[in-house]
Amino acid sequence: MAKDITLHWASGSPPCWRVIIALEEKNLKGYNQKLLSFDKGEQKEKETLDINPRGQVPAFKHGNNIVNESIAACLYLESQFKSRGPSLIPDSSEEQALMYQRMIEILNLQQRLADVVLYTRRIPEEERHDSAVKRNREALSAEFKLWESYMHKGGPYMAGKNFTLADVIVFPPIAFSLRLGLSQERYPKLTEYYNLAKERPSIKATWPKHWLENPQGMDLFKDL
Amino acid sequence: MAKDITLHWASGSPPCWRVIIALEEKNLKGYNQKLLSFDKGEQKEKETLDINPRGQVPAFKHGNNIVNESIAACLYLESQFKSRGPSLIPDSSEEQALMYQRMIEILNLQQRLADVVLYTRRIPEEERHDSAVKRNREALSAEFKLWESYMHKGGPYMAGKNFTLADVIVFPPIAFSLRLGLSQERYPKLTEYYNLAKERPSIKATWPKHWLENPQGMDLFKDL
């Protein structure tokens, strides 16, 4: 079954990690995979472009079906392999509402992470402004505060009592943020959520290898 | 049933229109609604903030369940009212893959639309650069070309033979783009899709009123 699946991915990329966690939850092992290096720009090579015309990872294929957007791939995997592994969509309308809301809402945080982390990569030197850097960091800080305020309303998981697609999708950017120095003291509820969810077997088994080897990331977010 | 639903919205906002189309497809009429004016900043008033802490629309509530992200609200409505109206999730894995992919992938187009349309609103005057405006327009143009290339591979709808959630979610930004002057000559397949989907009863019935009164938008995109 997993032999029909191909995944091109990069280690530590939150979108890639989502798909890897979903595959693990659905007990799909032994799929074809290709680990790419962003530094070498390997996601722009033909073999990946043939799956994902944007030249981005994840690039995901199941049989002839291509689903490259990570949130879409998680929804697709849950739908196609509903009866394998635990159900990742809760039964109650209350948890479902929160699951769908958080799994899409996380894109706001993701956008603001990119605005800060990728600023010098995306904005040419002659267009850079300290005021823009400051504004982007403030927007990211406001976003972290919002997510901190969301935690543990009916938790402990992202959408309530159960581990759902919301956790598959939201956990990787939260883990990425803590790795980049987000203060555990200033964000105790996000940290508590992180400490709980990182013990989930699917997450533990798929932890980015270079994060294990070098657990300390940059201190980029420590004053946010 | 619809009496439990509240929607705060703005006319012509693609994210709001998605939720309105989904409600129409699911034959949910007579819900509580509040039409807001962006010009007056009404989305920042307490009644809306109580539903959507981001001060954005749509602000959507069903009973006590809040789902403000438009894609999330469409997924939620289809899940909660599966047996009302047509099924908006196709049975075949092929169409499902394409549906999930396109419904999330459209966020790339949406982001690039915002980069162009909201540039002067979002970037303070002293930080603006002609080179950034040019780059944003080129990125939007590349995005339109990509979507043009996607059309009619197994169409005529966004994910294949059937009208699905992908159409509910992708159609509004496409219609918005054509209203802002996207060339029907240069994008014949997107235009053909637009002409087909705009006849869908749920879309016809919910066409933004001020677009009917003033069908000509700006010429902002005509050279893209």
Side-chain angles (χ1 to χ4, degrees):
Chain A
M1 195 177 282
K3 290 225 183 323
D4 285 346
I5 293 174
T6 298
L7 177 71
H8 293 200
W9 61 290
S11 185
S13 143
C16 293
W17 197 6
R18 287 173 183 148
V19 183
I20 295 168
I21 295 170
L23 287 162
E24 189 75 21
E25 286 286 338
K26 293 285 135 184
N27 199 22
L28 292 159
K29 296 184 193 286
Y31 52 88
N32 307 293
Q33 50 174 304
K34 194 175 175 188
L35 174 60
L36 303 180
S37 157
F38 283 141
D39 291 338
K40 295 182 191 156
E42 290 175 340
Q43 73 278 17
K44 302 293 178 194
E45 288 179 5
K46 186 177 179 305
E47 206 187 332
T48 303
L49 281 169
D50 282 346
I51 302 176
N52 189 341
R54 295 181 183 274
Q56 294 172 347
V57 287
F60 173 87
K61 204 172 165 174
H62 172 223
N64 289 320
N65 299 339
I66 289 175
V67 193
N68 296 315
E69 296 290 333
S70 61
I71 296 173
C74 292
L75 283 162
Y76 173 82
L77 282 167
E78 173 60 22
S79 172
Q80 292 301 308
F81 300 99
K82 225 183 284 281
S83 53
R84 279 180 76 95
S87 169
L88 297 173
I89 297 184
D91 292 328
S92 83
S93 79
E94 192 184 339
E95 290 200 7
Q96 255 189 36
L98 207 50
M99 179 196 73
Y100 286 125
Q101 170 64 17
R102 295 291 183 253
M103 78 159 74
I104 302 293
E105 187 177 8
I106 193 64
L107 293 170
N108 290 282
L109 178 63
Q110 207 165 303
Q111 178 66 40
R112 284 167 181 77
L113 282 170
D115 289 344
V116 169
V117 175
L118 304 177
Y119 186 74
T120 54
R121 197 180 304 177
R122 287 190 179 166
I123 308 295
E125 197 169 352
E126 59 279 13
E127 289 178 16
R128 293 180 203 153
H129 295 272
D130 291 344
S131 50
V133 170
K134 185 166 174 280
R135 192 173 57 252
N136 289 342
R137 290 182 68 85
E138 284 167 358
L140 178 57
S141 174
E143 192 67 35
F144 283 135
K145 290 191 176 78
L146 195 56
W147 284 86
E148 175 75 10
S149 80
Y150 288 161
M151 302 283 48
H152 288 256
K153 290 187 177 149
Y157 287 107
M158 201 43 74
K161 290 191 187 61
N162 302 293
F163 183 92
T164 68
L165 281 182
D167 299 287
V168 173
I169 291 166
V170 171
F171 180 79
I174 300 290
F176 178 82
S177 302
L178 283 157
R179 181 172 157 78
L180 290 202
L182 189 71
S183 164
Q184 304 207 0
E185 288 70 40
R186 262 200 308 282
Y187 298 94
K189 289 178 179 171
L190 277 174
T191 303
E192 200 179 326
Y193 168 72
Y194 167 82
N195 284 330
L196 171 76
K198 79 180 166 55
E199 298 304 324
R200 178 87 178 176
S202 64
I203 290 178
K204 227 170 161 168
T206 60
W207 203 263
K209 210 177 256 180
H210 73 280
W211 291 18
L212 282 177
E213 287 157 8
N214 176 11
Q216 192 74 16
M218 292 175 281
D219 265 351
L220 203 57
F221 297 163
K222 76 169 177 216
D223 61 338
L224 291 181
Chain B
M1 197 177 281
K3 289 223 185 321
D4 285 348
I5 293 175
T6 298
L7 177 70
H8 293 201
W9 61 291
S11 186
S13 144
C16 292
W17 197 7
R18 287 173 181 148
V19 183
I20 295 169
I21 294 170
L23 287 162
E24 189 74 20
E25 285 287 338
K26 293 286 134 185
N27 199 22
L28 293 159
K29 296 185 193 283
Y31 51 87
N32 308 293
Q33 49 174 305
K34 194 175 174 187
L35 174 59
L36 303 180
S37 157
F38 282 141
D39 290 339
K40 295 183 191 155
E42 290 175 341
Q43 74 278 15
K44 303 291 179 194
E45 289 179 6
K46 185 176 179 307
E47 208 186 331
T48 303
L49 281 169
D50 282 346
I51 302 176
N52 189 341
R54 294 181 184 274
Q56 294 171 348
V57 286
F60 174 86
K61 205 172 166 175
H62 172 223
N64 288 321
N65 299 340
I66 289 175
V67 193
N68 295 314
E69 296 290 333
S70 62
I71 296 174
C74 292
L75 283 161
Y76 173 82
L77 282 168
E78 174 59 22
S79 171
Q80 292 301 309
F81 300 99
K82 225 182 284 282
S83 54
R84 280 180 76 95
S87 169
L88 298 173
I89 297 184
D91 291 330
S92 84
S93 79
E94 193 184 339
E95 290 201 7
Q96 254 189 38
L98 208 49
M99 178 195 75
Y100 286 125
Q101 170 65 17
R102 295 291 183 253
M103 79 159 74
I104 303 293
E105 188 177 8
I106 193 62
L107 293 170
N108 290 281
L109 178 63
Q110 206 165 304
Q111 177 68 39
R112 284 167 181 78
L113 281 171
D115 288 343
V116 170
V117 175
L118 303 178
Y119 186 73
T120 53
R121 198 179 304 175
R122 287 190 179 167
I123 308 295
E125 199 169 350
E126 59 280 12
E127 288 178 17
R128 292 181 203 153
H129 296 272
D130 291 343
S131 50
V133 170
K134 185 166 174 280
R135 192 172 58 252
N136 289 343
R137 289 181 69 85
E138 284 167 358
L140 179 58
S141 175
E143 191 68 34
F144 283 135
K145 290 192 177 78
L146 195 56
W147 285 86
E148 175 75 9
S149 80
Y150 288 160
M151 301 283 54
H152 288 256
K153 290 187 177 151
Y157 287 107
M158 200 44 73
K161 289 192 188 62
N162 302 292
F163 183 93
T164 67
L165 281 181
D167 299 286
V168 173
I169 290 166
V170 171
F171 180 79
I174 300 291
F176 178 81
S177 301
L178 283 157
R179 181 173 158 78
L180 290 201
L182 189 71
S183 163
Q184 305 206 359
E185 289 70 39
R186 263 201 307 283
Y187 298 94
K189 290 178 180 171
L190 277 175
T191 303
E192 200 178 327
Y193 168 71
Y194 167 82
N195 284 329
L196 171 75
K198 78 180 166 55
E199 298 305 322
R200 178 87 178 175
S202 64
I203 290 179
K204 229 171 161 168
T206 60
W207 204 264
K209 212 177 256 178
H210 74 280
W211 290 18
L212 283 177
E213 287 157 7
N214 176 13
Q216 193 73 18
M218 293 175 280
D219 266 351
L220 202 58
F221 297 163
K222 78 171 177 213
D223 61 339
L224 291 182

